[in-house]
Amino acid sequence: MTAPAEFGAALKNAQTTISAFAETRLSGGDTLHAAMRYAIAGGKMLRGFLVLESARLHGVSQEAALNAALAIECVHAYSLVHDDLPCMDDDDLRRGQPTVHRKWDEAMAVLAGDSLQGFAFELLAEPVVGEHALDLVRSLAKAAGKDGMVSGQMLDIAAESAQQPLDLDQITRLQQRKTGCLIEWSAMAGAVLAGDNTEPLQRYARALGLAFQIADDILDVEGDIAKVGKALRKDANAGKATFVSLLGLDAAKSRADDLVQDAAAALHPYGGDAETLKQAAHFVIARDS
């Protein structure tokens, strides 16, 4: 899909800016730094984009926003590196390239992921982030840890081990933690940095995160591996419950459409200034990768 012009330009700018900042901050010449850079490179950087865009809405400095944007991309990249390991999902491809443990080895993948996670909090603790840095650190630790992303991954593994498919409420709770928590943190970051009300962006992000996961499940069924850049149909082959398996393909698409409308409605307090975020929500469910 071709992204709407305004959103497409904003996303491309976010990708370029965050990637350049990552290259600067992770410029070491050893294998660990190379693996960290490799893990970050090539992604959509939607989470980083959400940080930058929410920061723009709240008048936050580019310097503070960029530290937070790279921080969330580091946490996201670490989660993917570990998720791809043989002890987890055992994937050979990520973003159309060999996964970190395939390019190097499992030990380097573990170390690169660990280092990316630590570096994220280092970025958030730097003076440039400002007086609300501790709020960001605390909320990211929660979003990424035992009450958030890691908890969601644990629920996913437990469900697969039990060989008993989850119901709709359970899969929704799982994905709100596994995928949604980091998206929610990203969208709220600008408001947190400014010390402003986070509720509109939280409602936006909750709808967006769920729509994103439903779109992923749809791509797993309808996607082209050359565009998606990773193995497809793995969930179906493993008998795992997804939004598509539980709702059916057409109903899953309809549910994603409804969530996009919910996300757009949540942005009403920002008026036309939030148009790019509205376009992002529409893009999330229409993407082909």
Side-chain angles (χ1 to χ4, degrees):
M1 174 201 175
T2 301
E6 186 175 348
F7 165 69
L11 181 62
K12 180 64 176 177
N13 180 66
Q15 292 167 341
T16 301
T17 303
I18 296 168
S19 295
F21 189 47
E23 287 289 328
T24 299
R25 295 301 306 269
L26 294 171
S27 59
D30 59 16
T31 304
L32 179 60
H33 282 80
M36 292 169 73
R37 292 193 298 270
Y38 181 86
I40 292 172
K44 290 183 287 295
M45 296 195 173
L46 178 65
R47 292 155 188 81
F49 157 81
L50 290 172
V51 171
L52 296 180
E53 193 62 20
S54 67
R56 181 190 66 79
L57 284 179
H58 290 271
V60 173
S61 74
Q62 176 77 356
E63 292 79 12
L66 193 52
N67 267 47
L70 181 54
I72 194 62
E73 288 299 331
C74 285
V75 170
H76 179 53
Y78 122 73
S79 76
L80 298 181
V81 171
H82 284 189
D83 197 40
D84 289 336
L85 286 167
C87 63
M88 301 283 269
D89 280 357
D90 194 13
D91 277 313
D92 296 329
L93 281 179
R94 173 68 66 179
R95 298 165 177 167
Q97 300 294 326
T99 49
V100 174
H101 71 276
R102 291 300 182 199
K103 185 170 178 64
W104 284 279
D105 54 35
E106 290 181 39
M108 183 52 62
V110 171
L111 294 173
D114 289 347
S115 296
L116 285 164
Q117 183 187 42
F119 182 51
F121 291 99
E122 179 183 335
L123 286 164
L124 292 179
E126 290 180 349
V128 70
V129 176
E131 62 181 308
H132 298 288
L134 181 58
D135 294 328
L136 282 183
V137 169
R138 183 186 296 111
S139 58
L140 183 55
K142 185 174 182 179
K146 64 180 179 60
D147 297 317
M149 180 186 67
V150 172
S151 173
Q153 182 67 20
M154 181 275 295
L155 291 172
D156 198 11
I157 292 172
E160 187 171 2
S161 299
Q163 297 184 332
Q164 182 174 349
L166 302 177
D167 62 27
L168 187 58
D169 287 342
Q170 290 171 324
I171 197 73
T172 299
R173 183 167 72 97
L174 184 159
Q175 297 300 350
Q176 283 174 334
R177 294 187 182 188
K178 185 177 177 182
T179 303
C181 281
L182 293 191
I183 289 178
E184 187 173 324
W185 185 91
S186 304
M188 292 168 58
V192 173
L193 281 166
D196 288 342
N197 179 22
T198 61
E199 184 180 352
L201 287 172
Q202 184 177 47
R203 288 192 288 112
Y204 166 82
R206 285 184 176 173
L208 180 72
L210 197 52
F212 185 94
Q213 185 56 50
I214 293 174
D216 259 10
D217 289 351
I218 293 168
L219 277 175
D220 194 57
V221 174
E222 295 188 328
D224 178 349
I225 190 172
K227 293 180 179 179
V228 177
K230 62 180 181 180
L232 299 176
R233 267 67 82 179
K234 288 188 68 175
D235 288 345
N237 294 337
K240 291 175 65 174
T242 68
F243 287 104
V244 172
S245 69
L246 292 170
L247 295 174
L249 188 58
D250 289 341
K253 290 180 179 180
S254 179
R255 176 63 177 141
D257 286 336
D258 290 343
L259 286 163
V260 166
Q261 297 306 315
D262 291 344
L267 295 171
H268 178 74
Y270 297 104
D273 287 342
E275 182 59 31
T276 306
L277 286 177
K278 292 179 182 178
Q279 292 179 9
H282 287 282
F283 178 75
V284 155
I285 64 167
R287 60 197 165 88
D288 55 14
S289 65

